[in-house]
Amino acid sequence: MSVATRNGTSLDAPVAPPKVVRQRRVRPGLLGLAVLLIALGGLGAAFAVTSVRSTGSYLAVARPVEVGRQLSADDLVPVRVSGGRELHPVRADRIKEVLGLRAAVRLTPGTLLTPAQLTDAPLLGPGQQQLALGLEPSQVPARKLHPGDRVLLVSTPDSSAGGGDTTRGGTRFEATVIDTAVPENDDVVVYLALAVRDVPAVVALAADDRIALVLTGAA
């Protein structure tokens, strides 16, 4: 390109250099952060979908249930739980299958019911008989005995023995608590599962008021 001057001569005009557009450099740290955020968003969506799919209706314990007691409809309540399948709880639609079963352990309100907590076996096992033992409150080894508690019946010395010998005693009988009751006279009646061979001796000792009850294992 040329331009004219006053004296008629022409001069070449300077050519403008082309504009160079600078490209922005992407920092590697920002790029990595963007990728991480995208990945976390995908994981969050997958977790939400999985949680919704794993939500189910299961049976929970509504009130305390002692060991050996049969379950009734009032003992259970259906609840919806997300992600509870790992605990293998009993589904709410199986309530008819568990009604009438006995608690193998003490059931606590607010906990999910699992098959391992249930049994169809009575506390009175084979080769055992049930025995009712009346005790004064001061003779009960705990504030309250529960079904399934293991106890030891110990014979006490015979104070009426001839010659004043009160040292004989100490025979032991293992038993399991089936239930307890408190009659109007404030005595405590303990229903025990006892080996058949031990029943006659324990009945005789109880008639002479020569039985001491010791708690050896709580249910």
Side-chain angles (χ1 to χ4, degrees):
M1 178 179 180
S2 61
V3 295
T5 61
R6 290 182 178 181
N7 55 11
T9 60
S10 61
L11 296 175
D12 293 333
V15 179
K19 294 183 179 181
V20 178
V21 180
R22 294 185 179 181
Q23 296 181 351
R24 295 182 178 179
R25 295 183 57 188
V26 179
R27 296 181 181 179
L30 295 178
L31 180 60
L33 179 60
V35 173
L36 179 60
L37 291 175
I38 294 173
L40 290 177
L43 289 176
F47 176 77
V49 172
T50 303
S51 298
V52 171
R53 290 179 179 176
S54 62
T55 299
S57 184
Y58 304 102
L59 292 176
V61 181
R63 61 183 182 180
V65 179
E66 303 293 342
V67 177
R69 202 179 82 187
Q70 290 182 312
L71 290 179
S72 66
D74 294 334
D75 298 324
L76 305 173
V77 60
V79 295
R80 292 193 64 82
V81 179
S82 177
R85 291 182 299 180
E86 295 78 7
L87 302 176
H88 305 291
V90 180
R91 297 194 310 271
D93 58 2
R94 295 182 55 194
I95 185 171
K96 292 184 178 180
E97 299 178 21
V98 300
L99 293 181
L101 295 180
R102 299 179 184 273
V105 296
R106 189 181 304 176
L107 302 180
T108 305
T111 58
L112 292 176
L113 184 69
T114 64
Q117 298 172 323
L118 304 176
T119 180
D120 56 358
L123 288 179
L124 192 64
Q128 290 183 326
Q129 289 182 336
Q130 180 173 312
L131 175 70
L133 193 63
L135 301 172
E136 296 180 1
S138 59
Q139 294 177 300
V140 180
R143 179 171 298 180
K144 183 178 181 181
L145 293 174
H146 300 88
D149 286 348
R150 295 182 299 277
V151 297
L152 197 64
L153 304 177
V154 183
S155 64
T156 57
D158 186 2
S159 58
S160 63
D165 184 8
T166 61
T167 60
R168 296 183 60 187
T171 306
R172 302 181 178 186
F173 309 93
E174 295 181 351
T176 302
V177 176
I178 295 178
D179 202 355
T180 59
V182 181
E184 295 181 357
N185 60 0
D186 292 334
D187 286 346
V188 179
V189 179
V190 183
Y191 300 93
L192 301 171
L194 195 67
V196 175
R197 64 178 183 275
D198 297 334
V199 171
V202 172
V203 169
L205 290 170
D208 293 337
D209 197 19
R210 293 181 52 208
I211 282 288
L213 188 68
V214 181
L215 179 64
T216 59

